[in-house]
Amino acid sequence: MTTQDDDKPALYGRKVLSFVRRSGRLDDRLQRAWDRYADRYLLDAAAGEGSLNVRDDVRFDADFVRNAWGNDNPLIVEIGTGQGENIVAAAAARPDVNFLALEVYDPGVAHTLLLAGKQDLGNIRIAQVNAPELFAHADAGVVGEVWTFFPDPWPKMKHHKRRIVQPELAASVRHALADGGVWRIATDIEDYALHVHEVMDGIAGFENAGGLTVSLPTGHVGKGNAELAADMPHADFAESERFGGRVLTNFEKKGLAAGRTIHDFTYRAV
């Protein structure tokens, strides 16, 4: 397992990952889905068995898309697809668009395989690799949209460096996006919303296309201290209406039931 020692600096000889690799056994249903559908939907992009690194010879370009999907349709990539409910629903609704699900956890990959296979979808593929590495292998303009919905918030202050939305990934996403393409992000964690604004607002190559004004605290809080944010200075930020192409998953329902506000972002490549 590749993890970062919490007591060492962020660059202590290892990559800082936005996840911790956990391998759990698949139940019988998910194992059957994996055995039945992996050859059809799971892309061969990893460096080896059990690895989440991208092979050195992988080039995420137009030929990659053509070989994987058999067409030149626009491509939408979702980073962190969880159980796959959102991307599979989107693929079913938009057969003229190609969809790539990026997920690192075996059960999530298997459940996405199950959902896609049951509907016999032909326009979705799955890659079980570290998303920033795949985008680092991308050609300019190969992707039409990128989605990152409800990423792991890493709530402890010392873990904020693990959050997936970072300047380095933003630069890689911008390179991969066609001009006018968008990176859609959503979170139900107020502190993560501030983090997104700090990384993305004003970053080279993107414009915040949001039309809503949202007030957020201007300081960060860690796990267990969220209530302190209410007494911090606040400022106005631009965010977006809820993205209509995102289905209401069980995860989002739980956030709403807990009284959390959903923050949607649209950053357009310029």
Side-chain angles (χ1 to χ4, degrees):
M1 181 172 69
T2 301
T3 59
Q4 175 73 33
D5 188 325
D6 293 333
D7 296 323
K8 293 177 180 177
L11 300 179
Y12 190 82
R14 297 182 182 183
K15 293 177 290 187
V16 178
L17 300 178
S18 63
F19 58 88
V20 174
R21 184 71 187 271
R22 300 181 182 91
S23 60
R25 287 186 58 186
L26 301 177
D27 63 31
D28 291 343
R29 181 182 65 125
L30 293 182
Q31 187 61 60
R32 287 195 299 271
W34 193 292
D35 295 340
R36 182 174 181 180
Y37 298 121
D39 286 347
R40 178 178 183 185
Y41 292 114
L42 195 57
L43 297 180
D44 180 18
E49 182 70 25
S51 175
L52 298 176
N53 297 324
V54 178
R55 289 201 325 270
D56 290 339
D57 64 333
V58 169
R59 191 72 234 161
F60 187 18
D61 58 10
D63 286 339
F64 178 95
V65 175
R66 199 173 297 114
N67 291 334
W69 281 269
N71 60 56
D72 295 310
N73 290 342
L75 176 64
I76 294 176
V77 180
E78 184 173 11
I79 299 173
T81 51
Q83 298 299 302
E85 303 121 300
N86 185 74
I87 197 165
V88 170
R94 303 176 66 182
D96 58 335
V97 175
N98 296 328
F99 289 85
L100 175 58
L102 300 182
E103 179 54 54
V104 297
Y105 299 114
D106 290 350
V109 172
H111 197 263
T112 306
L113 290 169
L114 176 63
L115 294 178
K118 286 174 67 175
Q119 298 186 63
D120 194 28
L121 298 179
N123 60 330
I124 185 171
R125 300 291 183 271
I126 305 164
Q128 192 175 21
V129 294
N130 188 14
E133 285 196 35
L134 184 63
F135 276 96
H137 286 239
D139 270 14
V142 69
V143 177
E145 292 191 17
V146 176
W147 297 348
T148 307
F149 300 142
F150 306 101
D152 191 327
W154 289 103
K156 293 182 180 179
M157 293 284 283
K158 64 182 179 181
H159 290 163
H160 286 185
K161 61 183 177 288
R162 293 181 181 269
R163 291 173 168 177
I164 188 68
V165 178
Q166 299 290 348
E168 184 177 5
L169 177 60
S172 295
V173 168
R174 175 59 190 95
H175 178 74
L177 277 174
D179 289 345
V182 295
W183 188 4
R184 302 187 189 277
I185 304 169
T187 182
D188 61 350
I189 303 299
E190 186 177 68
D191 191 79
Y192 204 110
L194 176 63
H195 172 83
V196 171
H197 286 295
E198 289 177 338
V199 172
M200 296 298 299
D201 289 357
I203 197 170
F206 283 102
E207 67 175 6
N208 186 337
L212 293 179
T213 299
V214 176
S215 179
L216 290 173
T218 56
H220 286 283
V221 294
K223 186 175 182 178
N225 296 318
E227 69 280 359
L228 299 179
D231 295 326
M232 289 181 174
H234 281 55
D236 289 340
F237 297 88
E239 296 183 3
S240 296
E241 299 278 0
R242 187 185 187 280
F243 173 47
R246 187 177 77 245
V247 299
L248 188 61
T249 63
N250 288 331
F251 185 92
E252 186 171 353
K253 289 177 184 176
K254 289 178 181 178
L256 291 169
R260 292 195 288 269
T261 298
I262 309 300
H263 299 266
D264 270 79
F265 310 84
T266 306
Y267 290 97
R268 191 175 309 283
V270 294

